[in-house]
Amino acid sequence: MTATDASLIPVNVVSGFLGAGKTSLLKRVLASEAFGESAVLINEFGDVGIDDLLLGEIAEDAVLLSSGCVCCTIRQELSEALARLLELRADGRIPCFKRVILETTGLADPGPIASTITADPMLRHHLRPGINLTVVDAIHAGDSETAYTVWADQVAAADKLIISKTDLADTDRVDTLRDRLTTINPTAEILGPDAIAQPTTALFRQGPHVARWGAAETRRWLGLRPVGTPAVRESAHPDTVSSFRLRLAGEVDWTCLGVWLSMLLNRHGQRILRVKGVLQVRGGRDPVIVHGVQHTIHPPEHVRDWPCDDDRSELVFITRGIAGDRIVASLDGFMKRVSAYPAPVISHV
Amino acid sequence: MCGLCGALGGEDHWTAHLSVAEQADVRRRQRAYRIGLINTVLRAPRLTLTDFQSSRYVLAGATGKRAIVDDLGGIWQQAETMTGASLDPLDPEFLDGLGT
């Protein structure tokens, strides 16, 4: 079995800042018959776990992680909790489940959760990172972003974003928030409060680590636009989270790119919040999907059924205070000096 | 697993995960090419990298200091520890010095 095997159980993460509505979402999810085969882990910050009380009797099989933020202190505890779930499942002491849902604390950066799974020699043969779902409070988002850097980390890590409490905010505020979310994470799907009121299994469908990708899923996931489409250039304030897209014309030396990216993440992993893209790799028949959250790059996968006439390679970066021009200059200079093959023409679009 | 030292075979870094590398000879060639590229990067800080049983790497300094590392991420951390310098691909001076 490999880490890309679609039979692996996905660990989906529900994150969001304090009071954003994560527990409301989880209560609805657990009350829904559609989510009947779900195991739930709840991470609570502080001595008294509150969220398990709020969930009441709905989540009989929920496991409460009690010693702090998922992002830092309890990675070992998360590994142990996941291993315990698998053991209980194997022994038949809990029903079989086909997904795990992990609710983080409002102060947790969900990025390192994936590495907890993929780096564990036992867990990675049973589990895979699933969807990262982040709930964003329409009322307090601006203040939260200003005061806490983890707010943007949570948005950047998301595959799907749910804007909550839109009924309490005026239209302008919601539109401004939507624009900000798109600036930080242009490829995340943005959902409204209906996703909390009436959640469906589509919320956790199609994680970014399925074994075989099709062209349509890849284009949607990357937000690929027609070639030549002008894009908005990002601002590059030192502490501002922003996103940008690189286009690479010509085949990519995968080995050289891997060496460069591993160096970049070693030095700047805390500020490279997200990398994802599709690459036409030298010597490969199908394009390759790259997907990483902070220091963790998931095993790359080939895209199936990619059209012959589409030879695009694109990389989307979400960074904190690193401008796209610096990344272009670095990758271009590195490939030209190090690779044994002609470097692709790299542009910042 | 190596019978002498117990090292688990096979590299698990994400860069080694493409299915094109499933054939042993292709995998060996890619690994040798990767080591060559890394040595180009390590020339300026006077470090060298060699293969260790196709599963790990040995990083050696100019003074003879050596360390075994598991994967790419470990190589850069160890290289920075051994040289006391930052290996920063965003630094224009570092880029200018590549391969020299």
Side-chain angles (χ1 to χ4, degrees):
Chain A
M1 188 182 290
T2 71
T4 57
D5 194 317
S7 66
L8 301 180
I9 299 168
V11 178
N12 303 291
V13 178
V14 176
S15 68
F17 204 68
L18 300 166
K22 301 183 295 297
T23 303
S24 300
L25 170 64
L26 207 53
K27 285 176 73 172
R28 299 276 187 175
V29 162
L30 292 168
S32 166
E33 285 187 12
F35 290 93
E37 294 174 290
S38 303
V40 177
L41 294 171
I42 303 169
N43 178 215
E44 185 57 59
F45 188 82
D47 291 337
V48 180
I50 296 173
D51 281 354
D52 63 325
L53 301 177
L54 295 177
L55 285 168
E57 296 177 356
I58 297 172
E60 292 177 358
D61 295 330
V63 175
L64 186 71
L65 308 175
S66 58
S67 64
C69 277
V70 165
C71 58
C72 46
T73 59
I74 70 147
R75 278 211 259 179
Q76 183 60 36
E77 189 179 354
L78 175 59
S79 291
E80 290 167 359
L82 290 168
R84 194 162 63 246
L85 270 182
L86 292 172
E87 187 182 333
L88 292 171
R89 182 178 189 262
D91 291 348
R93 285 184 280 169
I94 59 173
C96 275
F97 50 86
K98 62 182 182 184
R99 71 175 71 82
V100 175
I101 301 173
L102 169 65
E103 182 195 348
T104 71
T105 75
L107 298 171
D109 172 3
I113 294 171
S115 61
T116 301
I117 296 165
T118 56
D120 187 294
M122 191 279 282
L123 293 180
R124 69 183 181 213
H125 292 289
H126 299 277
L127 305 171
R128 64 178 171 88
I131 284 282
N132 274 339
L133 191 67
T134 298
V135 185
V136 180
D137 177 342
I139 301 294
H140 299 108
D143 293 339
S144 300
E145 182 183 10
T146 303
Y148 301 95
T149 56
V150 74
W151 182 90
D153 293 340
Q154 292 173 349
V155 171
D159 299 299
K160 299 184 183 185
L161 293 158
I162 300 178
I163 302 179
S164 65
K165 305 180 185 177
T166 52
D167 54 328
L168 303 175
D170 59 48
T171 308
D172 286 348
R173 184 185 284 249
V174 175
D175 289 344
T176 301
L177 173 59
R178 190 179 289 271
D179 289 344
R180 180 65 189 135
L181 297 178
T182 303
T183 299
I184 294 175
N185 190 343
T187 60
E189 183 181 357
I190 299 179
L191 307 169
D194 286 352
I196 296 178
Q198 295 172 321
T200 69
T201 52
L203 273 182
F204 299 117
R205 192 173 297 153
Q206 190 66 10
H209 318 289
V210 291
R212 296 286 289 165
W213 281 70
E217 296 110 293
T218 303
R219 285 198 172 108
R220 193 164 50 244
W221 180 67
L222 279 171
L224 285 182
R225 289 165 294 189
V227 174
T229 304
V232 177
R233 301 286 287 245
E234 88 283 11
S235 59
H237 301 298
D239 297 319
T240 300
V241 174
S242 59
S243 64
F244 51 86
R245 187 179 293 262
L246 306 190
R247 195 165 282 162
L248 298 87
E251 287 187 323
V252 177
D253 178 350
W254 167 256
T255 305
C256 187
L257 183 121
V259 171
W260 172 80
L261 187 54
S262 67
M263 287 190 82
L264 183 72
L265 295 178
N266 174 62
R267 192 101 291 278
H268 299 285
Q270 294 294 338
R271 296 200 292 154
I272 308 285
L273 304 184
R274 194 81 180 263
V275 181
K276 61 183 189 177
V278 59
L279 296 170
Q280 307 286 340
V281 174
R282 173 172 293 280
R285 196 183 58 196
D286 300 319
V288 171
I289 288 290
V290 178
H291 178 225
V293 180
Q294 295 179 2
H295 291 281
T296 305
I297 301 288
H298 300 291
E301 294 166 8
H302 287 283
V303 186
R304 59 182 160 79
D305 304 328
W306 191 259
C308 299
D309 59 349
D310 189 347
D311 60 353
R312 273 179 294 181
S313 291
E314 291 200 359
L315 284 172
V316 177
F317 283 80
I318 303 177
T319 65
R320 173 174 280 116
I322 301 178
D325 291 340
R326 289 184 70 197
I327 298 285
V328 170
S330 174
L331 179 56
D332 183 59
F334 192 90
M335 289 196 129
K336 283 177 176 166
R337 290 174 175 87
V338 175
S339 175
Y341 303 99
V345 177
I346 306 167
S347 55
H348 173 199
V349 296
Chain B
M1 178 182 289
C2 169
L4 291 175
C5 63
L8 288 168
E11 187 175 18
D12 205 40
H13 194 260
W14 59 270
T15 50
H17 263 269
L18 286 186
S19 58
V20 71
E22 283 171 1
Q23 295 170 308
D25 59 332
V26 176
R27 196 165 56 235
R28 273 196 300 274
R29 280 202 302 274
Q30 285 194 344
R31 187 173 173 86
Y33 178 54
R34 184 182 305 122
I35 290 171
L37 297 186
I38 294 169
N39 276 323
T40 302
V41 176
L42 294 177
R43 198 173 301 154
R46 301 182 68 205
L47 300 172
T48 54
L49 189 77
T50 49
D51 195 4
F52 180 73
Q53 298 180 351
S54 298
S55 63
R56 293 180 178 182
Y57 303 94
V58 177
L59 189 62
T63 60
K65 188 172 184 180
R66 288 166 175 263
I68 293 179
V69 286
D70 289 333
D71 55 31
L72 276 179
I75 289 169
W76 307 126
Q77 285 179 12
Q78 186 63 41
E80 291 186 335
T81 301
M82 288 170 75
T83 61
S86 156
L87 301 177
D88 184 358
L90 292 183
D91 178 357
E93 284 188 23
F94 174 80
L95 287 175
D96 287 342
L98 282 175
T100 58

